[in-house]
């Protein structure tokens, strides 16, 4: 039976990838601190990757500034690749973000470093850049305290985490392909609009203020920096369909 390790397997996308593996009768190995495995220190990785065919790395860190984001991905990705090489992993799949190479935000510098490490490593690899998930607007609401919610003005193309998870398992079972096609959803939306629709769906009357992003990043996003490129894989679930299901 094919075994797939899921780095960050307890997160929003990670849980979906684990479920996608189980639906296909594959064996998922959850790599997370709650499972006794630490990507940053490397503790437990060698045992976790023993006998693993492929790795899907959806690990993440909450960091808005470049320095902590780069530090996390250097440590986590470096340890994961080194352990994968020792274990003879056939295919390393790293999930990145559409636009991380052209939008100059702190966290995206970390994703760029992750991509550099994966691309320069010895384990055969595929990088899949995906857009923000349907869940993203809700996550931003949770991070904004108080009765009025400040949500950054971001033109996005939200995608279903569940459908992305199925796509990632397909990629992991296939041959390493280097930088793969972008993956996104079928519609373009402003994130504050999605936040308002989510609150209305919940029956809440909380006010949402769209906060313009300053500097170069704001201009890059407004110009479509977070939207998929030509030839992208478009997954069909709309935001309305996701709302109806949640």
């Amino acid at each position: 039976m094919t075994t797939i390790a899921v780095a960050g397997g307890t997160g929003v996308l990670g849980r979906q990838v684990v479920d996608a593996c189980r639906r296909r009768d594959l064996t998922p190995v959850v790599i997370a601190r709650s499972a006794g495995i630490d990507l940053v220190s490397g503790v437990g990785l060698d045992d976790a990757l023993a006998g693993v065919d492929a790795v899907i790395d959806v690990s993440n860190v909450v960091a808005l500034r470049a320095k902590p984001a780069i530090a996390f991905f250097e440590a986590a990705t470096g340890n994961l690749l080194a352990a994968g090489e020792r274990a003879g992993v056939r295919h390393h799949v790293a999930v990145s973000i559409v636009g991380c190479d052209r939008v100059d935000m702190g966290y995206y510098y970390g994703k760029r470093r992750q991509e550099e490490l994966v691309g320069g490593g010895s384990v055969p690899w595929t990088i899949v850049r995906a857009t923000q998930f349907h869940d993203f607007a809700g996550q931003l609401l949770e991070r904004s305290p108080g009765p009025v919610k400040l949500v950054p003005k971001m033109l996005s193309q939200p995608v279903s985490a569940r459908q992305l998870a199925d796509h990632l398992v397909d990629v992991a079972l296939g041959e390493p392909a280097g930088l793969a096609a972008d993956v996104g959803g079928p519609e373009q939306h402003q994130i504050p609009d999605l936040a308002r629709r989510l609150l209305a769906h919940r029956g809440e009357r909380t006010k949402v203020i769209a906060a313009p992003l300053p500097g170069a990043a704001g201009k890059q996003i407004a110009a479509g920096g977070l939207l998929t490129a030509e030839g992208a894989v478009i997954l069909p679930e709309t935001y309305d369909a996701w709302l109806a299901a949640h």
Side-chain angles (χ1 to χ4, degrees):
M1 182 178 289
T2 300
T3 302
I4 297 179
V6 184
T10 57
V12 172
L13 179 57
R15 293 193 301 269
Q16 297 283 4
V17 174
V18 169
D19 289 344
C21 288
R22 288 173 176 154
R23 287 196 297 271
R24 303 186 191 202
D25 292 327
L26 306 172
T27 301
V29 175
V30 175
I31 295 178
R33 278 180 293 181
S34 60
I37 308 161
D38 192 320
L39 284 171
V40 174
S41 69
V43 170
L45 271 178
D46 285 323
D47 288 341
L49 295 186
V52 164
D53 299 286
V55 170
I56 300 177
D57 182 11
V58 297
S59 60
N60 193 24
V61 63
V62 179
L64 297 178
R65 294 183 297 112
K67 188 174 180 179
I70 292 171
F72 171 80
F73 284 111
E74 280 189 339
T77 304
N79 288 331
L80 192 56
L81 290 170
E85 182 179 10
R86 291 190 294 269
V89 168
R90 179 188 67 82
H91 192 181
H92 182 101
V93 179
V95 180
S96 190
I97 302 173
V98 167
C100 72
D101 58 332
R102 57 182 184 263
V103 174
D104 297 323
M105 290 199 298
Y107 177 74
Y108 286 12
Y109 288 110
K111 298 303 288 184
R112 292 177 195 179
R113 183 60 181 142
Q114 179 189 26
E115 291 190 4
E116 290 173 359
L117 291 170
V118 172
S122 59
V123 180
W125 58 276
T126 303
I127 292 172
V128 178
R129 291 174 177 166
T131 57
Q132 289 70 33
F133 308 144
H134 292 316
D135 314 69
F136 185 58
Q139 292 169 347
L140 291 178
L141 288 172
E142 291 174 3
R143 296 173 193 169
S144 178
V148 176
K149 303 296 185 181
L150 293 177
V151 176
K153 190 175 180 181
M154 299 172 68
L155 179 63
S156 68
Q157 192 176 336
V159 70
S160 160
R162 186 179 189 274
Q163 291 180 345
L164 175 60
D166 280 320
H167 176 74
L168 292 172
V169 173
D170 285 338
V171 170
L173 293 175
E175 294 300 315
L179 181 59
D182 291 349
V183 181
E187 302 170 334
Q188 298 178 15
H189 295 283
Q190 283 287 351
I191 295 295
D193 292 339
L194 299 185
R196 294 183 184 103
R197 287 163 64 181
L198 176 60
L199 290 168
H201 182 74
R202 293 173 177 170
E204 300 178 27
R205 299 193 178 192
T206 305
K207 185 175 181 179
V208 172
I209 295 178
L213 287 171
K219 294 178 182 177
Q220 290 156 350
I221 291 173
L226 300 181
L227 306 180
T228 56
E230 186 176 351
V233 175
I234 303 301
L235 302 179
E237 185 179 65
T238 64
Y239 189 71
D240 283 340
W242 177 82
L243 273 182
H246 288 76

